[in-house]
Amino acid sequence: MYSPTIILEALVNGLMLGAVYALIALGLTLIYGVLHIVNFAHGALLTVSMYLVWIGCEYFGLDPYVAILFVTPAMFAIGYFLQRLVIGPASRGSDNGILLVTLGLSIVIQNLLLAGFNSDTRTIVTDYAFGVIPLGPLLLSQPRVIGLAVSVVTAGLLWLVLNRTDIGKAIRAVAKEKLGASLVGIDVAHVYAMTFAIGTACLAIAGGLLMPSFYVSPTTGAAFVLVAFTIVVLGGMGSIPGALIGGLLIGVVEAASSLFLGDSLGQIGIFLIFILVLLFKPTGLFGAR
Amino acid sequence: MLEITDLRAGYGGTEVLRGLTLSVGKGEIVAVLGSNGVGKTTLNKVLSGVQPARSGAIRFNGQDIFGASAKTVVSAGLIHVPEGRKIFPNLTILENLELGGYCRPKSARRTNLDKVFSIFPRLKERTTQLAGTMSGGEQQMLAIGRGLMGEPKLLILDEPSLGLSPLLVEEMFTLIRRLSDDGLPIMLVEQNVVQSLELASRAYILENGTVTISGDAAKLKDDPELRRAYLGL
């Protein structure tokens, strides 16, 4: 049996990885909550963010955390125009249309990345990738501590934007009452694009937080987004606090199952939870319906 | 104020508005009456820019708003309080009202809020309540309050009495009179013929997408054709 310190350490590190999962899920759940579609391009866009961070490091010598400052506005713009110029017009207002368009987009993006960067895995070497921060008897991975802090701050900022600004209130209004929103003069197409942009910008931050300790290849994003889907279902489709709590919880579950079942089986716990949620609480922890 | 000429609109192959002409002048309450399916709601949607029209002309306050976006229409001051209220159920009462002034400068929000609260003191007591948890009558008040936040130059009220108890209907019509007395032109779209005719200065009766009877509301009340068709007298 493991010593309590090792177990606790694994769980805390899992919690911190969960925070980055939460960030990815946050973007996914926001887009679902407002546009009522599951964004299949989310994984591919995460991969794009990770490549942008990698490019920032490789060609401009930027630290991955500094690169976040540049990649976030870039991904925000990419998200905005993808929705405004591609997904919106191509789907012609039908939800099934949007679903197919995002699925198609993910395939196109993945193959463009494959053409541009081939299938090699790319990594960023930093001095702190294996750094640890001691906390009492626990040794915490430095990139993960930063990941937790940045994720929590981002979630807080997102909450402020959604609750305190006009565009945030407009986003929440459009989520439930599109016609009513149009009638007060809210431009629904703009709000859709802003929502997509914010969701995509979350991926840029997640990409920057992941790069110091992960690699990127054209398919990397898909693995994270599969976990993010689980979190969105666990937390309740469209629920922001659900995504945050769900992400942290999934991180802990993954860490615990890696510890007890072995590293390669770490994700079993995640999907076990996924099935249990679907069976016993299909609306998720914070689901409204 | 509002002039609609020979307006045609529809969905797919079905024409719903078939050459509709009507106008609303300054200081008037104009009732637009008709039973279900004659095109009242389509007319309102076309006017507010959420449903495209096929042909015709719409002028509002000297401005051509035919084919304009919803945002342009709202900014011009033509505010539509829709049938079924369409308030934001997941937002608080205060947030609903704030979004009513989405197209107006933030600096005006405070005074507009005070104005709405003076008309609907009940909303002021419960600013933090979620709009979806209010009763139907309160939601209707919120919908009108949200409309007033948009600084209307003309207010379109679509079925404001729908689903309200007789007492609340009475209250609603008193309120509409009060808004009109304050100088706000109102286009009242209703199925409630008797009470609407008592309130309005002029009225249009729609049938099958066009105006069949129109004129002075007091005279229409005694129109034998109308009494036969709508009141069963």
Side-chain angles (χ1 to χ4, degrees):
Chain A
M1 208 48 217
Y2 299 103
S3 77
T5 317
I6 289 184
I7 295 176
L8 192 63
E9 203 170 87
L11 295 184
V12 172
N13 274 314
L15 188 76
M16 294 187 296
L17 178 62
V20 181
Y21 285 160
L23 206 50
I24 302 169
L26 220 54
L28 198 60
T29 210
L30 183 68
I31 292 172
Y32 176 83
V34 178
L35 281 78
H36 308 291
I37 50 131
V38 174
N39 173 23
F40 280 116
H42 213 60
L45 289 168
L46 174 62
T47 319
V48 171
S49 310
M50 292 170 82
Y51 271 111
L52 287 178
V53 172
W54 178 78
I55 289 171
C57 278
E58 194 71 11
Y59 295 100
F60 301 96
L62 293 176
D63 182 89
Y65 297 126
V66 178
I68 290 179
L69 299 177
F70 298 94
V71 176
T72 305
M75 290 305 291
F76 184 91
I78 289 175
Y80 186 91
F81 289 110
L82 264 185
Q83 167 62 32
R84 196 86 208 226
L85 303 178
V86 182
I87 302 173
S91 59
R92 294 164 193 267
S94 117
D95 286 359
N96 294 336
I98 304 180
L99 205 81
L100 287 174
V101 172
T102 60
L103 188 62
L105 258 180
S106 78
I107 297 170
V108 170
I109 294 172
Q110 224 173 65
N111 283 287
L112 282 177
L113 290 172
L114 196 60
F117 297 95
N118 67 48
S119 60
D120 292 351
T121 56
R122 319 275 177 161
T123 50
I124 293 173
V125 182
T126 56
D127 342 321
Y128 49 76
F130 297 100
V132 288
I133 296 173
L135 179 76
L138 306 177
L139 294 175
L140 307 178
S141 148
Q142 192 179 332
R144 289 190 181 187
V145 172
I146 296 172
L148 175 70
V150 174
S151 298
V152 169
V153 169
T154 307
L157 280 177
L158 192 59
W159 186 88
L160 280 178
V161 167
L162 287 175
N163 287 283
R164 293 280 180 269
T165 67
D166 268 13
I167 184 69
K169 289 170 196 166
I171 286 175
R172 285 159 54 223
V174 168
K176 290 280 186 226
E177 185 46 71
K178 227 159 72 174
L179 177 59
S182 300
L183 292 180
V184 299
I186 294 171
D187 180 349
V188 173
H190 170 70
V191 167
Y192 274 3
M194 285 297 283
T195 309
F196 209 88
I198 294 172
T200 318
C202 288
L203 291 177
I205 300 171
L209 295 176
L210 285 171
M211 272 318 277
S213 48
F214 282 82
Y215 61 88
V216 57
S217 77
T219 53
T220 305
F224 285 102
V225 169
L226 207 56
V227 176
F229 275 128
T230 313
I231 293 165
V232 170
V233 171
L234 171 67
M237 305 283 280
S239 160
I240 301 273
L244 199 59
I245 307 287
L248 297 174
L249 200 66
I250 286 292
V252 173
V253 168
E254 183 180 353
S257 44
S258 310
L259 187 64
F260 293 112
L261 304 173
D263 254 345
S264 55
L265 292 177
Q267 296 215 323
I268 275 193
I270 297 179
F271 295 105
L272 207 60
I273 292 233
F274 183 64
I275 292 167
L276 288 176
V277 170
L278 286 181
L279 281 177
F280 296 108
K281 196 154 189 329
T283 53
L285 298 175
F286 294 84
R289 281 157 294 168
Chain B
M1 219 37 228
L2 176 66
E3 282 161 51
I4 303 162
T5 320
D6 200 23
L7 188 65
R8 289 177 184 273
Y11 309 90
T14 322
E15 191 164 57
V16 179
L17 300 181
R18 304 158 195 256
L20 188 140
T21 299
L22 66 79
S23 66
V24 182
K26 280 208 162 66
E28 277 191 305
I29 300 181
V30 170
V32 177
L33 308 170
S35 46
N36 262 332
V38 297
K40 301 192 304 286
T41 297
T42 303
L43 170 64
N44 288 339
K45 283 188 174 170
V46 169
L47 288 178
S48 25
V50 294
Q51 165 79 30
R54 291 183 180 160
S55 66
I58 309 171
R59 291 191 69 77
F60 175 66
N61 210 12
Q63 188 181 344
D64 177 14
I65 57 162
F66 183 87
S69 71
K71 192 177 179 157
T72 312
V73 173
V74 171
S75 301
L78 178 59
I79 310 278
H80 169 192
V81 179
E83 178 189 359
R85 293 135 202 162
K86 307 294 178 198
I87 52 154
F88 309 121
N90 54 330
L91 269 58
T92 66
I93 290 175
L94 183 64
E95 287 172 330
N96 267 272
L97 292 174
E98 284 170 343
L99 282 181
Y102 188 75
C103 287
R104 302 295 172 208
K106 268 193 164 169
S107 49
R109 213 167 265 183
R110 193 65 249 170
T111 40
N112 286 337
L113 265 178
D114 287 340
K115 209 189 296 175
V116 170
F117 286 148
S118 75
I119 300 171
F120 303 109
R122 250 182 290 176
L123 295 181
K124 191 177 184 175
E125 294 158 18
R126 310 155 63 170
T127 47
T128 56
Q129 187 182 338
L130 286 184
T133 63
M134 299 194 301
S135 73
E138 291 163 343
Q139 290 192 8
Q140 186 62 55
M141 288 177 192
L142 177 60
I144 294 177
R146 187 181 68 179
L148 293 175
M149 289 295 291
E151 302 175 12
K153 295 197 174 75
L154 188 153
L155 198 61
I156 301 176
L157 296 174
D158 194 350
E159 306 269 8
S161 72
L162 192 74
L164 300 186
S165 70
L167 204 67
L168 277 175
V169 172
E170 200 64 48
E171 200 179 315
M172 192 52 66
F173 279 84
T174 311
L175 170 85
I176 295 168
R177 157 82 21 95
R178 189 177 148 196
L179 291 175
S180 170
D181 289 345
D182 290 343
L184 181 62
I186 290 170
M187 179 171 135
L188 176 64
V189 181
E190 265 288 352
Q191 294 196 37
N192 189 333
V193 173
V194 180
Q195 271 166 305
S196 301
L197 284 178
E198 274 168 19
L199 188 67
S201 41
R202 287 188 306 118
Y204 294 87
I205 315 290
L206 302 195
E207 246 172 88
N208 214 357
T210 83
V211 175
T212 50
I213 311 174
S214 66
D216 197 68
K219 280 188 194 140
L220 277 181
K221 232 178 351 182
D222 303 318
D223 186 286
E225 174 65 11
L226 181 81
R227 289 168 71 88
R228 187 192 55 73
Y230 287 95
L231 308 176
L233 297 171

